[in-house]
Structure formats: structure tokens, C-alpha cells
Amino acid sequence: MTRIEEVSLERAPLEWDTPLFHTARSQFEQALPYADVNDHVAERLRYPERSFVVSVPVHLDDGSLRVFPAYRVQHSNVLGPTKGGVRYDPHVTLGECAALAMWMTWKCALLRLPYGGAKGGVRCAPRELSDGELERLTRRYTAEMMPVIGPQEDVPAPDMATDEKTMAWMMDTYSMQKGYAVPEVVTGKPISIGGSVFRAEATGVGVVMVIDRAYQRLGRRLEGASCVVQGFGKVGGVAAADLAERGVRVVAVSDVSGAVYREEGLDLERVSDWTQDRRPLIELDDCHHVTNEEMLELPCDILVLAALEEQLTAENAPRVKAGMVAEGANGPTTLDADTILAERGIPVLPDILTNAGGVTVSYFEWVQDLGRLFWTREETRARLAEKMGDAFDRVWELSESRGVTLRRAALVVGIREVAAALAARGIFP
Ligand code: NAD
């Protein structure tokens, strides 16, 4: 007779327990001693509040049917509705969404936005799907998420491989179920249906605002500096263009296929035209090509990471030759790499501060949609600059006064805001 082995639930890993969630959780633990948080509040914040796993069936163009795993994790709704992007990527897991949701909580709190953190995604290879397939996937994913998203519950936004078209499909699907237009259910929409005039550029421009402010604090000159940008997408593409406008020499940019490199500075308009039709950079001719791994080790003043998680690790961090690292992406530096870079005196502008321009302008978009009142590009940009500058200064000052890295300072500032709110509200019941 076969013996059934005893299964201990004590030892079974939690569903979101992945290396990336471990990173997010460890950062939280390391920040706690500086944040002065009561034990019960800290214990609550270690866990995502709600996690959803669904399977999304899609009719493909060839007549077959495929089912895609999909997720949404809401880490904390203490300060308000949860907020976070939706990504389409072959590697999305529940744990990845949980880590990104936790970071979103600290980010929103750091920027003093009335939101908690969320993140969602569909495990798929977006480049292999046609527009029609992507639309059917998005609409069914939204339908599956109906019970948990909403303007006062959870407000999705674009992330990796999703854009304003995706948000328009989400908004329309949600509105069709409700029976009236609900633009405030997502942000990052086209302007014609209530999008902010500045949302598309917000994250990339915010990254540059943070770099600029750090340069001022460090007494360095941005004009004439050199820069490498990993990930020439919505964040990296805009950051590269904005840096170039400020007189920075952008020597290399990359996409998933590889990087293009030119020591005298790239012709960004040409690169942009090429990538517009989803053409891989590896096929751009008349350029010197290097791999994504090689580009991370190119000598430069500023290395902008704007692709995905875990790009600088214990393995390559000792070889980084940048004067500063700016995290446009979420979680691109592992814990080990962080320590190595700190030891080597290379400042890291942390993700929850540096890429917060996106969620900040998303907040403006949501407020405008709720009030049916719209601001100009100049107004939005000025409000963003004010918010980013204020958050930067609070982080910088804490980093100086406590002698901690900018990442730890940013986490402490964010965690303190959430913890104070949770302590005031109490833990139900
Ligand atoms: P995107 O899809 O527009 O661009 C991603 C870029 O990274 C593309 O050029 C892609 O080819 C490249 N890439 C993908 N996989 C790669 C790999 N394995 N190696 C090298 N390059 C790779 O996405 P995005 O919106 O620009 O997001 C980039 C990062 O910024 C993500 O970490 C996202 O979570 C973060 N972020 C985005 C926003 C936003 O407003 N879009 C806001 C905050 C943070």
C-alpha cells in the first residue's frame, strides 16, 4: 500500500514567496529599525492584503484557444485605493506582483499620495500576440478583475508591455459592465477619454528630475555628462530624450534584443524611429552593438536602469563603471548588488523615489477624472516637479542625518507614513 506522506502546512512556502518578494521583504526588515514602527503594524505590513490568481482564456487568430495565468496583488489599502501597473511578460508570477505591490505601497506613501500599492500581470509573450489577441486578452483579464478593481478599490495603470491602448480597453470593458463611462478606473489612458496630457512622459521625466536634483546636491554638472540607458521603452526612451535635451551624451540604449552603442552619443531620433514599429534594436544597422550584460558595465557618469528587475547582481556589481545608478525600473538592483555599490561609493537613486513620476501623474489623472476638470501640461509638470522635489529632499535629508543609503532612507520615509496611518486606524477588528 502506498504511504501518503504527511504534509506540514507550517513548512509549505507561501504562494508569493519568491526571490523578488524576499528582496522586497528584506528591504522592509532592514528599514524597520530606523522607522520606529509598532510590532503589530510591522507584522501586518509584511503580507500582501489580497492576492488574486485567474486564468484568462483567449481565442487566438489561428482559431485555437489559449489560457494565460494572470494575477493582481493588493498590498495595502490603509491610505486609500490601491494603485499599480499591469504587465504582460512571460515571467510574471504572483510573487513578482506581490513584491512590486509592496514597493508601490512605500512609493505612494513616500510621495504622499492617498493610495496603497498593487500590481498585476498576465503571463504571456506580448511580442508574439497580435493587436486583436492582446485586446481579447486585456478585455477578459479586466472582466476577471471586475470584483476587485474600481476607482475607490484598485486603479490599474500601464507597466511593461502595456500602454494607453491597453488602458483604453480596460476602461471600456469596465464601463460596459457598469453601464456608464468610468474613466477614473484606470490611469495612463489616451487623452481623448480622460488621460492626463503629461502621463506618457511622467515616469521618464521624473527620473531625470531626480537625477538632476541629486547632481545639484552632489555639486556635479549634468551638461556634458555621459549616460547609458537600459530599456528603451516608455520610461527609458523618455528619460534618454530628456537627458539628451539637457546636454547629456547618451552613449548606449537597449531593448530586450541588445544594445546600441556610440561613444560620441547616439542619434536618439533615429533609434526612436526604429523602435516605433516594435523593431528590435539588434537589427538597427550602422551601429556598434553590445549585449545587455556588456552595456551595464560600460563606463559612464549615469547608468539608468529602465528595463526590469534584478539587473545588477553580486556578480556584475563589482564591474559597474558608472558614477551613479538611477532606477527607472522597479527592483533592478539586488540586495547584494546594493551593498557592493554602497561599498564602492556609487550612489543609487532608488526606484520608489526615482520612478515615482508615473504614479504621481496617475494620481493627478485620477483626481481630474473624478472632478471632470483638466489641467494643462505646464500645470501638471509643475505639480510633478514640486512633488518629486519634496520627496527627494525628505529622502536626502534622512539619508544624511541617519547615515544610510538613499534606498534605505526612501523606504523609511515611505514606511513611516503607512505605519502612522495604520497605527491611527488600528487593526480591525
Ligand atoms: P516598456 O515595456 O515600455 O519598456 C521596457 C523596455 O525594457 C523595453 O525596451 C524592453 O525591450 C526592455 N526589456 C524587456 N525585457 C528585457 C530584458 N530581459 N533585458 C533587457 N531589456 C529588456 O516598459 P516600461 O513601462 O518602460 O517599464 C520599464 C520598467 O519601469 C519596469 O520595471 C516598470 O515596472 C517600471 N516602471 C514603469 C512605469 C511606467 O509609467 N511605465 C512607472 C514606474 C516604473
Side-chain angles (χ1 to χ4, degrees):
M1 201 172 70
T2 328
R3 270 196 67 203
I4 298 170
E5 277 193 34
E6 256 185 48
V7 178
S8 160
L9 285 179
E10 286 284 308
R11 274 184 286 130
L14 291 170
E15 286 69 12
W16 50 79
D17 250 338
T18 58
L20 199 68
F21 186 72
H22 175 76
T23 301
R25 176 82 177 255
S26 303
Q27 288 176 351
F28 174 65
E29 301 299 343
Q30 290 168 3
L32 272 181
Y34 302 85
D36 202 15
V37 176
N38 113 22
D39 285 349
H40 291 187
V41 167
E43 180 62 359
R44 177 67 191 111
L45 294 173
R46 288 190 173 101
Y47 297 85
E49 284 173 4
R50 304 206 282 179
S51 305
F52 304 94
V53 183
V54 294
S55 52
V56 177
V58 179
H59 288 292
L60 300 185
D61 294 345
D62 66 5
S64 65
L65 184 98
R66 222 174 125 190
V67 180
F68 298 91
Y71 311 93
R72 186 80 183 162
V73 177
Q74 299 165 351
H75 172 254
S76 168
N77 68 9
V78 173
L79 286 166
T82 50
K83 185 90 192 76
V86 174
R87 57 173 54 180
Y88 291 170
D89 188 79
H91 307 289
V92 179
T93 62
L94 187 73
E96 180 178 293
C97 292
L100 292 159
M102 189 185 251
W103 283 322
M104 277 303 288
T105 298
W106 315 140
K107 187 189 301 182
C108 293
L110 167 60
L111 270 289
R112 297 199 163 137
L113 308 177
Y115 288 141
K119 203 74 170 194
V122 180
R123 193 183 300 175
C124 64
R127 276 169 179 267
E128 289 164 20
L129 296 173
S130 69
D131 257 21
E133 290 166 337
L134 285 170
E135 176 171 355
R136 294 192 286 281
L137 175 88
T138 304
R139 288 187 179 277
R140 182 60 190 254
Y141 173 68
T142 311
E144 297 290 341
M145 289 294 145
M146 281 299 291
V148 298
I149 60 172
Q152 298 301 335
E153 288 90 22
D154 183 5
V155 185
D159 195 77
M160 277 167 65
T162 56
D163 55 18
E164 59 171 42
K165 196 156 58 173
T166 324
M167 293 304 114
W169 292 328
M170 289 193 84
M171 178 270 186
D172 184 66
T173 305
Y174 187 89
S175 301
M176 283 294 131
Q177 314 289 317
K178 290 287 174 188
Y180 49 89
V182 191
E184 58 274 21
V185 68
V186 291
T187 58
K189 300 174 292 291
I191 295 164
S192 57
I193 52 170
S196 162
V197 284
F198 198 60
R199 177 61 184 88
E201 302 106 296
T203 311
V205 168
V207 168
V208 179
M209 286 175 178
V210 171
I211 294 172
D212 184 40
R213 213 149 172 116
Y215 255 59
Q216 284 175 31
R217 290 279 190 157
L218 293 166
R220 297 182 192 170
R221 218 173 112 79
L222 202 50
E223 206 186 336
S226 62
C227 166
V228 165
V229 181
Q230 188 200 32
F232 197 67
K234 294 186 292 297
V235 179
V238 171
D242 198 14
L243 282 164
E245 247 173 59
R246 291 171 188 244
V248 173
R249 196 162 35 92
V250 180
V251 297
V253 299
S254 74
D255 66 7
V256 65
S257 71
V260 284
Y261 173 56
R262 187 166 175 269
E263 211 191 323
E264 307 76 48
L266 291 162
D267 176 352
L268 287 181
E269 239 171 77
R270 181 167 173 253
V271 179
S272 218
D273 286 348
W274 182 261
T275 53
Q276 211 87 95
D277 309 322
R278 295 213 247 168
R279 281 179 294 189
L281 278 175
I282 191 102
E283 286 169 17
L284 181 62
D285 51 17
D286 280 343
C287 283
H288 186 60
H289 291 271
V290 293
T291 65
N292 258 295
E293 292 72 27
E294 288 164 341
M295 90 171 298
L296 295 175
E297 298 172 24
L298 289 172
C300 62
D301 296 309
I302 308 158
L303 172 60
V304 178
L305 302 172
L308 70 171
E309 308 78 45
E310 297 178 327
Q311 295 304 292
L312 297 184
T313 62
E315 202 270 320
N316 61 5
R319 296 191 300 273
V320 166
K321 294 181 201 73
M324 170 186 283
V325 174
E327 296 186 331
N330 288 305
T333 309
T334 65
L335 291 171
D336 292 339
D338 233 5
T339 310
I340 295 166
L341 294 172
E343 281 166 6
R344 294 185 55 211
I346 300 175
V348 177
L349 306 179
D351 46 8
I352 64 166
L353 170 68
T354 311
N355 68 31
V359 70
T360 305
V361 174
S362 275
Y363 162 64
F364 297 158
E365 179 177 333
W366 178 74
V367 167
Q368 292 173 83
D369 287 337
L370 286 169
R372 302 294 193 264
L373 177 88
F374 295 93
W375 305 333
T376 64
R377 173 178 294 271
E378 290 67 38
E379 279 171 311
T380 313
R381 193 187 173 111
R383 284 174 201 259
L384 174 66
E386 197 185 313
K387 279 262 180 214
M388 296 295 287
D390 171 58
F392 180 94
D393 290 346
R394 282 181 284 124
V395 169
W396 191 272
E397 271 138 36
L398 190 95
S399 158
E400 299 251 287
S401 67
R402 301 297 297 266
V404 294
T405 61
L406 292 167
R407 180 181 321 282
R408 188 153 303 164
L411 286 162
V412 170
V413 173
I415 291 166
R416 276 184 184 165
E417 299 270 341
V418 187
L422 186 51
R425 284 180 60 166
I427 293 172
F428 183 82

